[in-house]
Amino acid sequence: MLALRATPNVFSYGAAISATASAAEWKLAMELIQELSHSRIQPSVICCNALLTAYANSTLWERALHLFLHMEKELRADDVSLGAAIAACSDFSTWPWALSLLFSQLRGRRGVSAVLRDDRPNAVAINAALRSCEISTAWASAMGVHAEFGEFSLRAEEHITRARHMMAICGRAGRWEWALFFFDRAMKYGASETSYNTAITACERSGAWQQALSLFDQMCSNRLASTRSYGSIINAFQSSAQWRLAVQLLHQMWIDRTEWNTVTCNAALSSCEKAGERKMALFLLQSMTRQSVQADEITYNAAISACERTDRWDLALHLLAEMQSNSLPPSDTSLTAAISACKTPGEWERALRLMAGFLRRDRLMVQVPLPHSLFHSSRIASSYTAQSVCVCAHPCMT
């Protein structure tokens, strides 16, 4: 526009600032606001809301609050303004500010006239406050917000969104009974895959895998189950080490021609690892290859840990080499599990050579704690052992 000598107005600036806000480019958004002010054009509420959103996306809560208070004095703050300011406080340490801002504004202490319309509280602001409670696992505070504003008339989609937030909060707090209570509320406005998945995840986080399975059965009856749904329920079995059920569901996906993905397979494989089912874990790893599902670091970590649990150092080292051949650098977890698998008598020396090799090449082992059994083996070994340990340069073993 400038090159064509077309004068930008408040609307073109608003569109540009909104674009930068979507990308969390708050510095560029702030520069555009300043440029707008220097042009003697009063920034509109839309422009300021875009800058507020940019601050919120960058978790700059102090700047967001300062701008919001300025808007109260100079402009007419609206629903979007309050929601963005509260969203900026959605952090572990700043969530009390979000609740304080919500209650003060919706009760009229700040004199913002646009936050109440037709006796309905600002649904955007309330949901933003609930998200801050979800992040900080402030279950009691979220219940307080719901008790204060939950009975006002809302549109159907607002009721569903509110119920999903409450389900997620209850799940993080281990309150699966309350999560199911809010799930029933959401179901009054129609069954959906997202509501089911949120409720299943809430039960999974609370360790209530039986309730999660019951919800999944309802999903299948309503023909709402998808790959994501299978992943949610298999995660529930991963937490409770119900590896047989996890493998059966993975097999059911294959029968129903539901596409496998890495997340779902990792959940089933991890449940086998936690149960010490090495053979099934390795079988699932091979099945992923046959189904053209990409194995990642989590996949190999679980498989190597399964070998470590059953003292199969040879398989653990084979998987470690396979991991490298697939261009996946070993992590602290995979290296620790592989070394721990060599704790059987006569194999500790192999573990030390493995550690030394990675230390020389990638400097990864500096942060990897070694198993106690390996410490014990090295202490009772011969003087040759002590020299081998010194080659690894591990300060705990010199």
Side-chain angles (χ1 to χ4, degrees), residues 163-390:
R164 288 173 184 166
H165 283 311
M166 293 304 299
M167 279 189 279
I169 292 168
C170 294
R172 287 181 177 272
R175 309 275 183 164
W176 64 267
E177 301 94 338
W178 278 103
L180 294 183
F181 169 78
F182 289 108
F183 171 74
D184 291 337
R185 286 203 166 190
M187 290 292 287
K188 292 180 181 179
Y189 301 94
S192 69
E193 179 190 348
T194 305
S195 296
Y196 270 109
N197 287 341
T198 306
I200 290 174
T201 302
C203 292
E204 176 258 319
R205 287 174 173 171
S206 304
W209 63 270
Q210 297 93 338
Q211 287 73 20
L213 183 59
S214 176
L215 290 171
F216 182 75
D217 288 340
Q218 294 179 30
M219 285 192 76
C220 293
S221 300
N222 295 329
R223 297 182 178 180
L224 293 173
S226 65
T227 300
R228 182 179 178 183
S229 309
Y230 275 99
S232 299
I233 186 62
I234 292 176
N235 266 324
F237 297 142
Q238 173 189 345
S239 301
S240 57
Q242 297 289 334
W243 67 274
R244 288 186 176 87
L245 292 173
V247 173
Q248 288 175 8
L249 280 172
L250 204 61
H251 181 64
Q252 188 63 42
M253 289 181 68
W254 180 76
I255 294 176
D256 296 340
R257 296 183 179 180
T258 303
E259 184 180 1
W260 286 11
N261 62 17
T262 304
V263 175
T264 305
C265 293
N266 285 350
L269 204 151
S270 295
S271 67
C272 296
E273 177 263 320
K274 291 179 179 179
E277 292 294 329
R278 182 197 72 248
K279 293 182 179 180
M280 183 55 68
L282 296 180
F283 175 76
L284 290 179
L285 180 59
Q286 295 174 353
S287 300
M288 290 177 66
T289 303
R290 289 195 294 268
Q291 295 294 326
S292 299
V293 179
Q294 183 67 41
D296 60 8
E297 178 185 320
I298 298 176
T299 311
Y300 280 99
N301 286 350
I304 293 173
S305 296
C307 296
E308 181 266 330
R309 286 175 179 268
T310 53
D311 296 333
R312 286 301 304 267
W313 60 267
D314 52 338
L315 294 177
L317 297 185
H318 172 76
L319 290 173
L320 198 63
E322 183 179 311
M323 188 177 183
Q324 293 176 281
S325 65
N326 291 334
S327 301
L328 290 172
S331 65
D332 289 359
T333 303
S334 53
L335 289 171
T336 302
I339 292 174
S340 184
C342 300
K343 64 186 178 184
T344 54
E347 298 302 332
W348 64 267
E349 218 172 310
R350 187 187 301 270
L352 293 179
R353 288 197 297 270
L354 176 67
M355 183 183 68
F358 282 106
L359 179 62
R360 286 194 298 268
R361 192 192 63 194
D362 296 326
R363 298 184 179 273
L364 292 173
M365 292 302 300
V366 176
Q367 300 177 355
V368 177
L370 294 181
H372 176 74
S373 58
L374 193 58
F375 288 141
H376 181 69
S377 299
S378 64
R379 287 169 184 164
I380 63 174
S382 63
S383 58
Y384 173 77
T385 304
Q387 295 174 2
S388 300
V389 172
C390 292

Side-chain angles (χ1 to χ4, degrees), residues 76-80 82 106 111-117 120-122:
R76 186 182 178 90
D78 59 9
D79 290 357
V80 179
L82 182 59
L106 294 187
V112 180
S113 59
V115 296
L116 289 175
R117 295 178 178 175
R120 279 197 314 115
N122 181 351

